[in-house]
Amino acid sequence: MALTRRQKEVLDFIADFVRDNGFSPSYEEIAAGMKLASLATVHKHIQALELKNYLHRGFNQSRSIELAPRYFQDQKLFAARPKMMPLSVPLMGRIAAGAPVEAVPGTASLEFSDFTGDEGTYALEVRGDSMIDDHICSGDYVLVRKTQDVRDGDIVVALVRGTETTLKRFYREEDGQIRLQPANASMNPILVRPDELDVQGKLLAVLRKYR
């Protein structure tokens, strides 16, 4: 199982602490170093990393955390990979699509891990023009986060009647039906009963490659 962005940050903190000090951090040191709200939050992350085989831990010991073999295996694989696109790029300011404005370089960066760090995130290639008024065009790629917790107006990936998967805006109607609304004035909405619909995720981002 992949790590979430926060789990990766906790794991890196532990590895750096062990490298610098020669022993593992206590839960209190992890909470302070990571600015985590409570020891319960630290425990949650440690437990998740242990379940994913990145850490071992003993019990009733203040410094019981050990990096597991999987961590070192991943480090070797990462070092052996050919150089790829970085997971972040400099955020150079803002630019207007209307009147020109000054774009000022800064120290911020756009972290792609903010979009891909969740193991429930996946990508789909768009086919068709049903969402074109929302600037989602055929050939675009959409990043989707797996969830069934959606609100009216959200753009969702929905499986309709077990056969057709579609990308539409989600609305609950007063009569109990669900309306899947295209963003294309020439197309009609899809009306279904809740038991005919399986929401498979919510739109996270749209990617478009210009050749």
Side-chain angles (χ1 to χ4, degrees):
M1 294 183 288
L3 297 178
T4 67
R5 179 170 61 92
R6 197 56 167 161
Q7 288 168 3
K8 174 78 165 51
E9 290 171 350
V10 171
L11 183 61
D12 287 343
F13 176 87
I14 293 169
D16 290 344
F17 190 100
V18 171
R19 184 195 64 218
D20 295 341
N21 297 279
F23 53 85
S24 63
S26 66
Y27 281 27
E28 290 81 2
E29 287 165 335
I30 296 172
M34 298 292 301
K35 295 181 172 59
L36 297 174
S38 68
L39 295 183
T41 304
V42 176
H43 184 273
K44 180 187 71 173
H45 288 308
I46 297 300
Q47 187 175 46
L49 289 166
E50 187 179 28
L51 288 171
K52 294 179 180 181
N53 297 316
Y54 283 96
L55 294 176
H56 293 313
R57 58 175 177 158
F59 295 93
N60 299 319
Q61 301 175 40
S62 62
R63 299 184 185 276
S64 60
I65 304 166
E66 294 182 1
L67 296 168
R70 182 175 180 182
Y71 169 79
F72 299 104
Q73 292 167 3
D74 282 6
Q75 291 299 104
K76 288 180 181 178
L77 289 173
F78 180 81
R81 284 192 316 180
K83 189 171 182 180
M84 299 175 66
M85 179 180 174
L87 292 178
S88 66
V89 295
L91 185 60
M92 303 299 286
R94 296 178 176 86
I95 187 167
V101 297
E102 184 181 7
V104 181
T107 58
S109 62
L110 176 62
E111 297 287 341
F112 292 105
S113 59
D114 290 344
F115 298 96
T116 62
D118 190 326
E119 62 190 40
T121 300
Y122 61 97
L124 294 170
E125 184 177 359
V126 176
R127 283 285 176 256
D129 296 324
S130 69
M131 299 301 291
I132 196 166
D133 291 342
D134 277 329
H135 310 289
I136 303 174
C137 303
S138 188
D140 288 350
Y141 294 92
V142 291
L143 292 182
V144 179
R145 181 170 60 85
K146 290 182 181 178
T147 183
Q148 293 186 329
D149 182 18
V150 297
R151 297 178 296 181
D152 283 4
D154 284 344
I155 298 177
V156 304
V157 173
L159 178 65
V160 180
R161 301 184 181 96
T163 58
E164 176 191 0
T165 304
T166 186
L167 185 72
K168 298 287 187 292
R169 284 197 180 272
F170 176 97
Y171 294 96
R172 295 176 178 88
E173 297 291 276
E174 291 184 358
D175 62 2
Q177 293 192 96
I178 302 298
R179 171 165 54 93
L180 299 175
Q181 182 67 45
N184 185 325
S186 67
M187 295 184 176
N188 295 321
I190 300 170
L191 292 171
V192 295
R193 300 192 311 269
D195 62 355
E196 297 177 317
L197 183 69
D198 180 15
V199 175
Q200 299 186 329
K202 181 165 63 174
L203 181 70
L204 185 63
V206 180
L207 304 175
R208 179 174 303 156
K209 184 175 181 181
Y210 295 90
R211 293 180 174 86

